Amino acid sequence: MKYLSAIIFSIAIVVAAIFLGNAYVSRANPDGVISVTGSGSENFTSDLIVWEGQFSRVSPDLEEAYKQLNKDKETVRKYLLDNGIKQENIVFNSVQTIEQNENQYQNGNFVGSIFKGYELIQSVKIESNEVELIENVSREITELLNKGVQFNSTPPRYYYTKIADLKIEMISKATEDARVRAERIAENSGGSLGELKNANMGVFQITGQNSGEDYSWSGAYNTADKKKTASITMRLDYEID
């Protein structure tokens, strides 16, 4: 009798474990629900360009350095205006002053420094919707060297001012793609698509067209290419009838 009770108790534990295990699986994977991921992409061309550069002068006399720099500033301004860039698109930033010193050593030991002069640096920023115009000027900016201006520029950056509208369009495309996938899965399983239970948006990415650029978990935002590709994913959970 004692052994029979022990056997019955053991069977009860096994049955309870199976029941609880099945209940956990059912809660983790509810019946009649499918999850699908849809994607959408769109190619577009940037409609805003930002281009920056800087020029500098060095002189032992601060006043003379500033006078030369101011002359270069007017040369740069005239060059930009003569090439079709509007005055309101040109912004000159404040002058940066760096005191230059030359370190002196004796027998390998530092003994002090000698003042060499002042370096004055000024940067200019051009922001415009005339993308092709600014591109062309940025490529020919070395002409300023012939005018005695040591001008260094950075590659232009490209943006899109209608990004919010584009994002809404991409969400719509990705959602439709996911819905079509869900319908096919439901049909293949002999059922029909029911109500949408949940929708989650994935990462919105902007990469250069045909650039082979890597996607990022935090979202890529390319500014180096004028022609770009936007993409997004949507994860949908549907009931199955």
Side-chain angles (χ1 to χ4, degrees):
M1 186 68 178
K2 185 167 74 172
Y3 292 110
L4 179 61
S5 298
I7 292 172
I8 293 173
F9 182 69
S10 299
I11 293 173
I13 291 176
V14 172
V15 171
I18 294 172
F19 175 78
L20 291 174
N22 288 336
Y24 177 80
V25 172
S26 296
R27 289 183 64 187
N29 301 285
D31 293 334
V33 176
I34 60 171
S35 297
V36 290
T37 300
S39 62
S41 62
E42 184 76 23
N43 292 329
F44 65 96
T45 302
S46 304
D47 61 0
L48 178 69
I49 186 171
V50 178
W51 173 48
E52 296 180 90
Q54 67 177 29
F55 48 98
S56 63
R57 282 287 181 171
V58 178
S59 175
D61 182 81
L62 183 59
E63 184 177 352
E64 179 62 25
Y66 182 77
K67 186 184 298 184
Q68 292 176 359
L69 188 75
N70 198 49
K71 182 180 178 181
D72 288 345
K73 175 183 176 180
E74 294 310 311
T75 301
V76 172
R77 188 200 306 277
K78 185 177 185 305
Y79 177 83
L80 297 175
L81 293 173
D82 289 346
N83 280 274
I85 300 178
K86 298 182 178 66
Q87 176 65 53
E88 59 266 27
N89 298 134
I90 305 171
V91 177
F92 286 93
N93 296 316
S94 58
V95 177
Q96 179 184 4
T97 304
I98 302 174
E99 187 175 306
Q100 294 187 334
N101 296 284
E102 182 179 327
N103 293 333
Q104 301 294 305
Y105 297 87
Q106 258 185 14
N107 300 322
N109 298 315
F110 176 73
V111 294
S113 59
I114 298 177
F115 173 73
K116 300 293 291 184
Y118 298 98
E119 181 182 18
L120 271 58
I121 304 171
Q122 188 164 29
S123 62
V124 59
K125 180 179 179 181
I126 295 95
E127 185 173 325
S128 174
N129 295 113
E130 298 180 279
V131 178
E132 291 187 8
L133 171 65
I134 306 304
E135 277 185 325
N136 292 334
V137 176
S138 70
R139 295 189 187 106
E140 303 298 329
I141 197 64
T142 51
E143 291 181 10
L144 282 172
L145 293 174
N146 297 327
K147 300 178 183 295
V149 180
Q150 295 291 327
F151 192 93
N152 298 306
S153 68
T154 59
R157 303 191 303 275
Y158 299 91
Y159 300 92
Y160 190 58
T161 59
K162 301 174 184 176
I163 199 70
D165 296 335
L166 179 65
K167 191 172 184 179
I168 292 174
E169 183 180 346
M170 302 314 305
I171 291 173
S172 177
K173 284 189 174 185
T175 301
E176 177 63 18
D177 181 56
R179 186 187 64 79
V180 171
R181 292 170 185 263
E183 287 179 343
R184 290 176 181 172
I185 294 173
E187 290 173 2
N188 291 336
S189 63
S192 60
L193 198 63
E195 293 184 358
L196 176 66
K197 294 177 63 66
N198 191 35
N200 290 300
M201 185 179 72
V203 177
F204 185 59
Q205 309 270 1
I206 295 180
T207 56
Q209 284 185 28
N210 307 314
S211 65
E213 187 175 351
D214 291 332
Y215 288 93
S216 168
W217 287 108
S218 58
Y221 193 100
N222 176 289
T223 60
D225 296 280
K226 180 170 65 175
K227 294 184 180 296
K228 307 179 192 292
T229 299
S231 60
I232 199 170
T233 58
M234 288 292 296
R235 179 183 174 85
L236 307 182
D237 298 329
Y238 280 100
E239 290 183 346
I240 296 296
D241 297 331

